[in-house]
Amino acid sequence: MNDSTRSTRRSGRLGLGIVGAGRVGPVLGAALAGAGHAIVGISAVSAESRERAHAMLPQAPILDVPTLVERSELVILAVPDRELPGLVSGLAATGTWQPGQLVLHTAPAYGVEVLRPAAEAGAIPLAVHPAFEFTGTSLDLTRLAESWFAVTAPTPVLPIAQALVVEMGGEPVVIAEADRPAYAEAIATATAFSRSIVEQSTGILAGIGVENPGSFLSSLLRSAVDNALTRAGAPTALDVGDVLEALGAEDAPREGDPGDDGRGWYLRGE
């Protein structure tokens, strides 16, 4: 690691590198930067991702992945889940991972087993998924404070993952490695169903001539979801309007939009 990275360790900060400038990586990077960590850089390929990286992390240099990993003490892998295994193993094959380096991925269906190639090189594996749909804008920084994060990590380093979540303003919930697929299914079901119901209902109302069907249904949806969450044990009243806006607003990204991999409830990468 270079002198700058060593200095961050001495000052109690981590040198943070973000692989992937979709809607998740830059937001988490900005949240951790706000907690005092130093942004080493971010990888971004497309013009859209570069614009997002510049908007959220204007001082962060755009770096290639190997350079980014080499210089960072904490690496966030904010890439689509289908790309994660190949990325981790590829960097292991080139000897890029470093002993003692924290490696954190954000894919819901994976625990830390997917990071085994990095762990075998001495890196510390962490799986942290925010149960939240990102816009990729500064709005997410405020909403993170209302969000829960699924955390999976080896027992000795679990407090590290939990502390990072708290620093981002979220609430960590430990999910066992074997339960990550079921967790991912729950997230997918809740989001896909919510979006489908909103789109179907607003489509019917629009078809009978109701103007602004999203606004027409907003009070009904807020109250229905709020009541359902209360019955499910939600500890406090939530701003369900924000939830619905994120999951099913008329101007939300639709399947097939550029940058939407069809599973955007957790991540949209390059």
Side-chain angles (χ1 to χ4, degrees):
M1 296 183 184
N2 59 29
D3 291 340
S4 174
T5 301
R6 282 192 289 269
S7 70
T8 63
R9 176 175 291 172
R10 288 195 298 269
S11 67
R13 299 187 302 170
L14 292 171
L16 170 62
I18 304 158
V19 178
R23 288 176 167 82
V24 175
V27 174
L28 298 187
L32 287 170
H37 299 290
I39 303 296
V40 171
I42 185 169
S43 70
V45 178
S46 68
E48 180 183 3
S49 65
R50 285 174 175 265
E51 290 176 3
R52 185 180 296 115
H54 179 72
M56 293 298 299
L57 301 168
Q59 305 303 319
I62 305 295
L63 301 174
D64 62 82
V65 174
T67 300
L68 191 65
V69 173
E70 179 184 354
R71 296 181 181 179
S72 302
E73 292 175 293
L74 167 60
V75 179
I76 294 181
L77 302 178
V79 299
D81 62 344
R82 64 180 180 273
E83 297 177 13
L84 184 61
L87 174 63
V88 175
S89 60
L91 290 170
T94 56
T96 306
W97 299 118
Q98 302 173 59
Q101 183 176 54
L102 298 169
V103 182
L104 181 157
H105 79 73
T106 60
Y110 290 114
V112 294
E113 179 62 27
V114 72
L115 297 175
R116 178 179 290 275
E120 290 175 345
I124 299 171
L126 309 172
V128 176
H129 171 252
F132 174 78
E133 178 156 301
F134 288 74
T135 66
T137 69
S138 59
L139 289 174
D140 296 337
L141 294 174
T142 300
R143 294 172 179 172
L144 279 179
E146 303 171 351
S147 298
W148 300 75
F149 287 62
V151 174
T152 305
T155 300
V157 296
L158 185 59
I160 297 176
Q162 293 170 312
L164 289 170
V165 170
V166 172
E167 286 186 321
M168 288 186 281
E171 182 73 22
V173 176
V174 177
I175 302 294
E177 178 82 18
D179 293 334
R180 292 291 291 211
Y183 167 77
E185 182 180 0
I187 295 297
T189 300
T191 308
F193 183 75
S194 298
R195 182 180 294 168
S196 175
I197 290 299
V198 169
E199 292 181 348
Q200 182 178 359
S201 299
T202 54
I204 293 172
L205 290 177
I208 61 173
V210 175
E211 296 184 1
N212 301 316
S215 297
F216 182 90
L217 288 175
S218 60
S219 295
L220 171 64
L221 292 171
R222 287 192 185 98
S223 59
V225 174
D226 195 20
N227 290 341
L229 290 172
T230 300
R231 288 193 295 271
T236 58
L238 302 178
D239 187 350
V240 182
D242 284 349
V243 176
L244 291 171
E245 178 184 348
L247 297 181
E250 291 181 300
D251 60 351
R254 297 290 193 256
E255 184 176 352
D257 281 358
D260 188 343
D261 68 347
R263 303 181 67 190
W265 62 86
Y266 69 92
L267 179 61
R268 294 180 176 88
E270 296 292 349

